[in-house]
Amino acid sequence: KKSRQTVNTDHDAVLLIEANLDDQGGESLGFAMDLLVDAGALDVFFTPIYMKKNRPACKLSVLCAPEERDTFVNLLLRHTATIGVRYQLMRRSIMKRQFKKVETKYGTIRVKIASRNGVVKQTAEYDDCAHAARVHKVSLADVEREVQLQLAKLENQ
Amino acid sequence: KKSRQTVNTDHDAVLLIEANLDDQGGESLGFAMDLLVDAGALDVFFTPIYMKKNRPACKLSVLCAPEERDTFVNLLLRHTATIGVRYQLMRRSIMKRQFKKVETKYGTIRVKIASRNGVVKQTAEYDDCAHAARVHKVSLADVEREVQLQLAKLENQ
Amino acid sequence: KKSRQTVNTDHDAVLLIEANLDDQGGESLGFAMDLLVDAGALDVFFTPIYMKKNRPACKLSVLCAPEERDTFVNLLLRHTATIGVRYQLMRRSIMKRQFKKVETKYGTIRVKIASRNGVVKQTAEYDDCAHAARVHKVSLADVEREVQLQLAKLENQ
Amino acid sequence: KKSRQTVNTDHDAVLLIEANLDDQGGESLGFAMDLLVDAGALDVFFTPIYMKKNRPACKLSVLCAPEERDTFVNLLLRHTATIGVRYQLMRRSIMKRQFKKVETKYGTIRVKIASRNGVVKQTAEYDDCAHAARVHKVSLADVEREVQLQLAKLENQ
Amino acid sequence: KKSRQTVNTDHDAVLLIEANLDDQGGESLGFAMDLLVDAGALDVFFTPIYMKKNRPACKLSVLCAPEERDTFVNLLLRHTATIGVRYQLMRRSIMKRQFKKVETKYGTIRVKIASRNGVVKQTAEYDDCAHAARVHKVSLADVEREVQLQLAKLENQ
Amino acid sequence: KKSRQTVNTDHDAVLLIEANLDDQGGESLGFAMDLLVDAGALDVFFTPIYMKKNRPACKLSVLCAPEERDTFVNLLLRHTATIGVRYQLMRRSIMKRQFKKVETKYGTIRVKIASRNGVVKQTAEYDDCAHAARVHKVSLADVEREVQLQLAKLENQ
Ligand code: NI
Ligand code: NI
Ligand code: NI
Ligand code: NI
Ligand code: NI
Ligand code: NI
Ligand code: NI
Ligand code: NI
Ligand code: NI
Ligand code: NI
Ligand code: NI
Ligand code: NI
């Protein structure tokens, strides 16, 4: 899974593709989001907008690698009601990242360590936390707090 | 038109009818809004919501006189994709209101005078201002400012 | 699954439970939605709101059977950051509904038939359409259109 | 009307002009939208945003032909409260499109046929459907379904 | 400050007052929010809505003690453009709460302890954390994590 | 304060920096907005968005001078949960502006005079109006109306 790979650079570029959708219900928009995520989009999100003729609508935004433009343009045109999509290149400043595993009372949890210019963030992987919370019948916040406690212990050793 | 009638009471009750719509595009939601307004709803509005399965959706809310419940429930069930609507009664505190006409350099504009407990609001009617702005090729703000100036002059006489 | 059961009444009541969440991220809100849906909520939805101190926040709304209030209040208090939830009873006007199966070139699809006061809606079940669209590599709209064509043929027989 | 013209290219460019509006009510924003649409904007839409000092605000976005920048910048500065607008060029991938007329039991309805890379979409024109739905006292969905049935019949001939 | 008082009950009732505002800019809505919070409202929030005539608008919601209805109705009518507000009573399930002080490397931070049916939440007071983060030039997350670590230590003693 | 300086040009460029935040609550987002505004951002705003896995989230947008990119990128990475931000340059068309002081029955109020291509806007400074409204116990609209009346008198002299 892409989102769990080590990243060693601090900048790159992404393509932002957008379409305004005023003739498609939420059911099929949710279906389209699933397909776009499965196809490897870096991010997919909806923004509520308001269009002419009193139409509550939805802007669909996809962030992808610039070289995958055709793939995502085609997916958007096939799975949404729009007949045109617009796009632009954006530059990014990103944190370098690597992963480690932490033992907790809820089992092993992967943690993403992101760093840049002296800022360091350690974030427990959502999928691991969600799994652990379900299995151990606690809240997601309980698991995330436990991970932070174990990370603090490791630092103090 | 109902919204321009004199109102002499300071409280009443309204029915709020709502439906969550995750399977209907903006085009037909705009069409439904027009029908509901034409049918005499006191207010019709959309709220963007987010439902399960990644569905960006829309909550349709209608405020109407309590005795018109059947009319609006039927309109909602006929013109939207929902198979059920929920409703509740709400009490209202309202300002008494009457209307007057004000002469301005952009023509005659109706003004609504609302009052309650020492608070008085004088609001130029939107339809008149919009018409005047279009005819005289000025902005809506220009017309509204002119109306306020004429109202101030009338007060100082 | 509850949403596929025959319904023979045209009105009932639901409980609307709400909480404003300004101290919880989207990840754990999505987790909470999944739990609430799994627990049998009739509907769960988020509304974007804006609170004091420049806080973009989220209103979580749950519709459930009135007799399940304790279950859902407890789930909300356990899995969200709120320390209080508010609720109210709402009455509903609903369409009677039953289900049938329709043969299409994309396989068998269940269709919900909802009716009330002369209004009849036939809606293809989302899960069946989504499955068929994935398997046959077509869009969800292609499947839904095919279902409507088969329904029209059945009517003309 | 521009939106009903044949289009024979599969890419072009548009200008996106935007302004954040925190000092203007919805009434005059709706008025501005009408003027911008009348002036030939390709698209006009509002996005709810939240600004500093607890201000719920509105982002106004206009898509127009790049050579019409001055026209729309001037309209925005005249009819909204902003004192500055920002803009950027975006490239578009669009579907080729042409129009045909379809006879239905609700009268003649124009249909837009959009195509690109093997994807073909046939969409009934909203204005025709809305008019037919009002005249024949049916829902918009009824008219759109009827159009799809007639299109299917034409294909099978 | 009310939000820092001990609470010993697990249910109460609140009044929800609402108004739809389509003729007032964000600046004066932010001003109104400040006044309502200062006047002791339990909660004040904005919801983006879409009204007729293409108007992006704002629903203002106030939660207050039921016996303070007149105070807040009057404030709303004086400081917003609306000429009527609606309201309803809602029941609440709340967690009992008390406060304690925790020593951290960023100074003393108050912590709210909320409990109900076996669920216990310990939340650092925002104002204290924000002050500490500004003074010590760290992020708010840094302060909140430190508080959780100190709370964990206290539990293990 | 930057927003009160005379501006003598009618175009410039700004950098738009954005991040999608699905793992951070509203409390700390409000804290981040305050820091960004204090650091001299030209504008900071939140947009409600919906991300995968049913996550209601928030897009944070910052407009700043292009040469201050590093400052704001660093602030965003330090004070939000994101591990990457994207940015793009946008050109702006702006109105020239200067300031004057107007005497009113609520005290002296600064007024911004913006002009371009024959459009002139005179806007009372929010901070002055808000202060006057609080001191004189009137609504913000009362103060703004009074300022407009005094401006009209000055024009007629
Ligand atoms: Ni385990
Ligand atoms: Ni997380
Ligand atoms: Ni005239
Ligand atoms: Ni008005
Ligand atoms: Ni098959
Ligand atoms: Ni469906
Ligand atoms: Ni006809
Ligand atoms: Ni359509
Ligand atoms: Ni200190
Ligand atoms: Ni907090
Ligand atoms: Ni004074
Ligand atoms: Ni202002």
Side-chain angles (χ1 to χ4, degrees), chain E residues 86-137:
Chain E
R86 55 192 188 273
Y87 53 87
Q88 64 180 121
L89 202 70
M90 296 188 83
R91 292 173 61 197
R92 287 204 304 183
S93 292
I94 58 181
M95 300 177 82
K96 289 182 184 170
R97 72 201 74 157
Q98 46 177 325
F99 293 83
K100 69 176 172 195
K101 290 184 175 175
V102 176
E103 300 307 316
T104 76
K105 65 180 173 189
Y106 304 120
T108 307
I109 305 280
R110 273 165 302 187
V111 169
K112 181 166 54 190
I113 306 160
S115 58
R116 182 187 162 105
N117 285 351
V119 177
V120 179
K121 290 175 195 167
Q122 298 190 102
T123 317
E125 283 288 287
Y126 170 77
D127 290 342
D128 292 4
C129 294
H131 177 81
R134 283 193 177 259
V135 169
H136 293 261
K137 297 191 187 312

Coordinates of all heavy atoms in Angstrom, one line a residue, chain E residues 86-137:
Chain E
R86 N -37.1 30.4 15.4 CA -37.9 29.2 15.9 C -37.2 28.5 17.0 O -36.0 28.6 17.1 CB -38.2 28.3 14.7 CG -37.0 27.8 14.0 CD -37.3 27.2 12.6 NE -36.1 26.6 12.0 CZ -35.3 27.2 11.2 NH1 -35.5 28.5 10.9 NH2 -34.3 26.6 10.7
Y87 N -37.9 27.8 17.8 CA -37.2 27.1 18.9 C -37.9 25.8 19.3 O -39.1 25.6 19.0 CB -37.0 28.0 20.1 CG -38.3 28.7 20.6 CD1 -39.1 28.0 21.5 CD2 -38.7 29.9 20.1 CE1 -40.3 28.6 21.9 CE2 -39.8 30.5 20.6 CZ -40.6 29.8 21.5 OH -41.8 30.4 21.9
Q88 N -37.2 25.0 20.0 CA -37.8 23.7 20.5 C -36.9 23.3 21.7 O -35.8 23.6 21.8 CB -37.7 22.6 19.4 CG -36.3 22.3 19.0 CD -36.1 21.3 18.0 OE1 -35.5 21.5 16.9 NE2 -36.7 20.1 18.2
L89 N -37.6 22.5 22.5 CA -36.9 22.0 23.7 C -36.3 20.6 23.3 O -36.9 19.8 22.6 CB -37.9 21.8 24.8 CG -37.4 21.7 26.2 CD1 -36.9 23.1 26.7 CD2 -38.5 21.2 27.2
M90 N -35.1 20.4 23.8 CA -34.5 19.1 23.6 C -34.0 18.5 24.9 O -33.5 19.3 25.8 CB -33.3 19.2 22.6 CG -33.7 19.6 21.2 SD -32.3 19.6 20.0 CE -32.3 17.8 19.5
R91 N -34.1 17.2 25.1 CA -33.6 16.6 26.3 C -32.1 16.2 26.1 O -31.7 16.1 25.0 CB -34.4 15.4 26.7 CG -35.8 15.8 27.2 CD -36.7 14.6 27.4 NE -36.2 13.8 28.4 CZ -36.6 12.5 28.6 NH1 -37.5 12.0 27.8 NH2 -36.1 11.8 29.6
R92 N -31.3 16.2 27.2 CA -29.9 15.8 27.0 C -29.5 14.7 28.0 O -30.0 14.7 29.1 CB -29.0 17.0 27.3 CG -29.0 18.1 26.3 CD -27.8 18.9 26.3 NE -27.5 19.5 27.6 CZ -26.5 20.3 27.9 NH1 -25.7 20.6 26.9 NH2 -26.4 20.8 29.1
S93 N -28.6 13.8 27.5 CA -27.9 12.9 28.4 C -26.5 13.4 28.5 O -25.8 13.6 27.5 CB -27.9 11.5 27.8 OG -29.2 11.0 27.7
I94 N -26.1 13.7 29.7 CA -24.8 14.3 29.9 C -23.9 13.5 30.9 O -24.4 12.7 31.7 CB -24.9 15.8 30.4 CG1 -25.7 15.8 31.7 CG2 -25.6 16.6 29.3 CD1 -25.9 17.2 32.2
M95 N -22.6 13.7 30.8 CA -21.7 13.0 31.7 C -21.5 13.9 32.9 O -21.4 15.1 32.8 CB -20.4 12.8 31.0 CG -20.5 11.9 29.8 SD -19.0 11.6 28.8 CE -18.2 10.3 29.8
K96 N -21.4 13.3 34.1 CA -21.1 14.1 35.3 C -19.6 14.6 35.1 O -18.8 13.9 34.5 CB -21.2 13.2 36.5 CG -22.6 12.9 36.9 CD -22.8 12.0 38.1 CE -24.3 11.7 38.3 NZ -24.5 10.7 39.3
R97 N -19.3 15.7 35.7 CA -18.0 16.2 35.5 C -17.4 17.0 36.7 O -18.2 17.6 37.4 CB -17.9 17.1 34.2 CG -18.6 18.4 34.3 CD -18.9 19.0 32.9 NE -20.0 18.3 32.4 CZ -20.8 18.8 31.4 NH1 -20.6 19.9 30.9 NH2 -21.9 18.1 31.0
Q98 N -16.1 16.9 36.8 CA -15.4 17.6 37.8 C -14.1 18.0 37.2 O -13.7 17.6 36.1 CB -15.3 16.9 39.1 CG -14.8 15.4 38.9 CD -14.6 14.7 40.2 OE1 -14.2 15.3 41.2 NE2 -14.9 13.4 40.2
F99 N -13.3 18.8 38.0 CA -12.0 19.3 37.4 C -10.9 19.0 38.4 O -11.1 19.0 39.6 CB -12.2 20.8 37.2 CG -13.2 21.1 36.1 CD1 -14.5 21.2 36.4 CD2 -12.7 21.3 34.8 CE1 -15.4 21.4 35.4 CE2 -13.7 21.5 33.8 CZ -15.0 21.6 34.1
K100 N -9.7 18.9 37.8 CA -8.5 18.8 38.7 C -7.4 19.5 37.9 O -7.5 19.9 36.8 CB -8.2 17.3 38.9 CG -7.6 16.5 37.8 CD -7.2 15.1 38.3 CE -6.9 14.2 37.1 NZ -6.8 12.8 37.5
K101 N -6.3 19.7 38.6 CA -5.2 20.4 38.1 C -4.0 19.4 37.9 O -3.8 18.6 38.8 CB -4.7 21.6 38.9 CG -5.8 22.7 38.9 CD -5.3 23.9 39.6 CE -6.4 25.0 39.4 NZ -6.1 26.2 40.2
V102 N -3.3 19.5 36.8 CA -2.2 18.6 36.6 C -0.9 19.4 36.3 O -1.0 20.4 35.6 CB -2.5 17.7 35.4 CG1 -1.3 16.8 35.0 CG2 -3.8 16.9 35.6
E103 N 0.2 19.0 37.0 CA 1.4 19.7 36.7 C 2.1 19.0 35.5 O 2.2 17.8 35.4 CB 2.4 19.5 38.0 CG 1.8 20.1 39.2 CD 1.3 21.6 39.0 OE1 2.1 22.4 38.4 OE2 0.2 21.9 39.5
T104 N 2.6 19.9 34.6 CA 3.3 19.4 33.4 C 4.5 20.2 33.2 O 4.7 21.2 33.8 CB 2.4 19.5 32.1 OG1 2.4 20.8 31.7 CG2 1.0 19.0 32.4
K105 N 5.3 19.8 32.2 CA 6.5 20.6 31.9 C 6.2 21.9 31.3 O 7.0 22.8 31.1 CB 7.5 19.8 31.1 CG 7.1 19.4 29.7 CD 8.2 18.7 29.0 CE 7.7 18.1 27.6 NZ 8.6 17.2 27.0
Y106 N 4.9 22.1 30.9 CA 4.4 23.4 30.3 C 3.6 24.2 31.4 O 2.9 25.1 31.0 CB 3.6 23.1 29.1 CG 4.3 22.4 28.0 CD1 3.8 21.1 27.6 CD2 5.5 22.8 27.5 CE1 4.5 20.4 26.6 CE2 6.2 22.1 26.5 CZ 5.7 20.9 26.1 OH 6.4 20.2 25.1
G107 N 3.7 23.8 32.6 CA 3.0 24.5 33.7 C 1.7 23.7 34.1 O 1.5 22.6 33.6
T108 N 0.9 24.3 34.9 CA -0.3 23.7 35.5 C -1.4 23.8 34.4 O -1.7 24.8 33.9 CB -0.8 24.4 36.8 OG1 0.3 24.4 37.7 CG2 -1.9 23.7 37.4
I109 N -2.1 22.6 34.2 CA -3.2 22.6 33.2 C -4.4 22.0 33.9 O -4.3 20.9 34.6 CB -2.8 21.7 32.0 CG1 -1.5 22.2 31.4 CG2 -3.9 21.6 31.0 CD1 -1.6 23.3 30.4
R110 N -5.5 22.7 33.8 CA -6.8 22.1 34.3 C -7.2 20.9 33.4 O -7.1 21.0 32.2 CB -7.9 23.1 34.4 CG -7.9 23.9 35.7 CD -8.7 25.2 35.6 NE -8.2 26.0 34.5 CZ -8.6 27.2 34.2 NH1 -9.6 27.7 34.9 NH2 -8.1 27.9 33.2
V111 N -7.8 19.9 34.0 CA -8.3 18.8 33.3 C -9.7 18.5 33.7 O -10.1 18.5 34.9 CB -7.4 17.5 33.5 CG1 -8.1 16.3 33.0 CG2 -6.1 17.7 32.9
K112 N -10.6 18.3 32.7 CA -12.0 18.0 33.0 C -12.2 16.5 33.0 O -11.7 15.8 32.1 CB -12.9 18.6 31.9 CG -14.4 18.4 32.1 CD -15.2 19.3 31.2 CE -14.8 19.2 29.8 NZ -15.4 20.2 28.9
I113 N -12.8 16.0 34.1 CA -13.0 14.5 34.2 C -14.5 14.3 34.1 O -15.3 14.7 34.9 CB -12.5 14.0 35.6 CG1 -11.0 14.4 35.8 CG2 -12.6 12.4 35.6 CD1 -10.6 14.3 37.2
A114 N -14.9 13.6 33.0 CA -16.3 13.4 32.7 C -16.5 11.9 32.8 O -15.7 11.1 32.4 CB -16.7 13.9 31.3
S115 N -17.6 11.5 33.5 CA -17.9 10.0 33.7 C -19.4 9.7 33.6 O -20.2 10.5 33.9 CB -17.3 9.6 35.0 OG -17.9 10.3 36.0
R116 N -19.6 8.5 33.1 CA -21.0 8.0 33.0 C -21.0 6.6 32.5 O -20.3 6.3 31.5 CB -21.8 8.9 31.9 CG -23.2 8.5 31.8 CD -23.8 9.2 30.6 NE -25.1 8.6 30.2 CZ -26.3 9.1 30.4 NH1 -26.4 10.2 31.1 NH2 -27.3 8.4 30.0
N117 N -21.7 5.7 33.3 CA -21.8 4.3 32.9 C -20.5 3.7 32.6 O -20.4 2.9 31.6 CB -22.7 4.2 31.6 CG -24.2 4.4 31.9 OD1 -24.5 4.5 33.1 ND2 -25.0 4.5 30.9
G118 N -19.5 4.0 33.3 CA -18.2 3.3 33.1 C -17.3 4.0 32.1 O -16.1 3.6 31.9
V119 N -17.8 4.9 31.4 CA -17.0 5.7 30.4 C -16.4 6.9 31.2 O -17.1 7.6 31.8 CB -17.8 6.2 29.2 CG1 -16.9 7.0 28.3 CG2 -18.4 5.0 28.5
V120 N -15.0 7.0 31.1 CA -14.4 8.1 31.8 C -13.5 8.9 30.7 O -12.8 8.2 30.0 CB -13.5 7.7 33.0 CG1 -12.8 8.9 33.6 CG2 -14.3 7.0 34.0
K121 N -13.7 10.2 30.6 CA -12.9 11.0 29.7 C -12.1 12.1 30.5 O -12.8 12.8 31.2 CB -13.7 11.6 28.7 CG -14.4 10.7 27.7 CD -15.3 11.5 26.8 CE -16.2 10.5 26.0 NZ -17.3 11.2 25.4
Q122 N -10.8 12.2 30.2 CA -10.1 13.2 30.9 C -9.6 14.2 29.8 O -8.8 13.8 28.9 CB -8.9 12.6 31.6 CG -9.3 11.7 32.8 CD -8.2 11.3 33.7 OE1 -8.1 11.8 34.8 NE2 -7.4 10.4 33.2
T123 N -10.1 15.4 29.8 CA -9.7 16.3 28.7 C -9.1 17.6 29.2 O -9.6 18.2 30.1 CB -11.1 16.8 28.0 OG1 -11.9 15.6 27.8 CG2 -10.7 17.4 26.7
A124 N -7.9 17.9 28.7 CA -7.2 19.1 29.1 C -8.0 20.3 28.6 O -8.5 20.3 27.5 CB -5.8 19.1 28.5
E125 N -8.1 21.3 29.5 CA -8.8 22.5 29.1 C -8.1 23.3 28.0 O -6.9 23.6 28.1 CB -8.9 23.5 30.4 CG -10.0 23.0 31.4 CD -11.4 23.3 30.8 OE1 -11.8 24.4 30.8 OE2 -12.1 22.2 30.5
Y126 N -8.9 23.6 27.0 CA -8.3 24.2 25.8 C -7.6 25.5 26.1 O -6.5 25.8 25.7 CB -9.4 24.5 24.8 CG -8.9 25.4 23.6 CD1 -8.1 24.9 22.6 CD2 -9.2 26.8 23.6 CE1 -7.6 25.7 21.6 CE2 -8.7 27.6 22.6 CZ -7.9 27.0 21.6 OH -7.4 27.8 20.6
D127 N -8.2 26.4 26.9 CA -7.6 27.7 27.2 C -6.2 27.6 27.8 O -5.3 28.3 27.5 CB -8.5 28.6 28.1 CG -9.8 29.0 27.3 OD1 -9.7 29.0 26.0 OD2 -10.7 29.4 27.9
D128 N -6.1 26.6 28.8 CA -4.8 26.4 29.4 C -3.8 25.9 28.4 O -2.6 26.3 28.4 CB -5.0 25.4 30.6 CG -5.8 25.9 31.7 OD1 -6.3 27.1 31.6 OD2 -5.9 25.2 32.7
C129 N -4.2 24.9 27.6 CA -3.3 24.3 26.6 C -2.8 25.4 25.6 O -1.7 25.4 25.2 CB -3.9 23.1 25.9 SG -4.3 21.7 26.9
A130 N -3.8 26.2 25.2 CA -3.5 27.2 24.1 C -2.5 28.2 24.7 O -1.5 28.6 24.1 CB -4.8 27.9 23.7
H131 N -2.7 28.6 26.0 CA -1.8 29.5 26.6 C -0.4 28.9 26.7 O 0.6 29.6 26.4 CB -2.4 29.9 28.0 CG -1.5 30.8 28.8 ND1 -1.4 32.2 28.5 CD2 -0.5 30.5 29.7 CE1 -0.5 32.7 29.3 NE2 0.0 31.8 30.0
A132 N -0.4 27.7 27.2 CA 0.9 27.0 27.4 C 1.7 26.9 26.0 O 2.9 27.1 25.9 CB 0.7 25.7 28.1
A133 N 0.9 26.5 25.0 CA 1.5 26.3 23.7 C 2.1 27.6 23.2 O 3.2 27.6 22.6 CB 0.5 25.7 22.7
R134 N 1.4 28.7 23.4 CA 1.9 30.0 22.9 C 3.2 30.4 23.7 O 4.2 30.8 23.1 CB 0.9 31.1 23.1 CG -0.2 31.0 22.0 CD -1.0 32.3 22.0 NE -2.0 32.3 20.9 CZ -1.9 33.0 19.8 NH1 -0.8 33.7 19.5 NH2 -2.8 32.9 18.8
V135 N 3.1 30.3 25.0 CA 4.2 30.7 25.9 C 5.5 29.8 25.6 O 6.6 30.4 25.5 CB 3.8 30.6 27.4 CG1 5.1 30.8 28.3 CG2 2.8 31.7 27.7
H136 N 5.3 28.5 25.5 CA 6.4 27.6 25.3 C 6.8 27.3 23.9 O 7.6 26.5 23.6 CB 6.1 26.3 26.1 CG 6.1 26.5 27.6 ND1 7.1 26.2 28.4 CD2 5.1 27.0 28.4 CE1 6.8 26.4 29.6 NE2 5.6 26.9 29.7
K137 N 6.1 28.0 23.0 CA 6.4 27.9 21.5 C 6.4 26.5 21.1 O 7.3 26.0 20.3 CB 7.7 28.6 21.2 CG 7.7 30.1 21.5 CD 8.9 30.8 20.9 CE 9.0 32.3 21.4 NZ 7.7 33.0 21.2

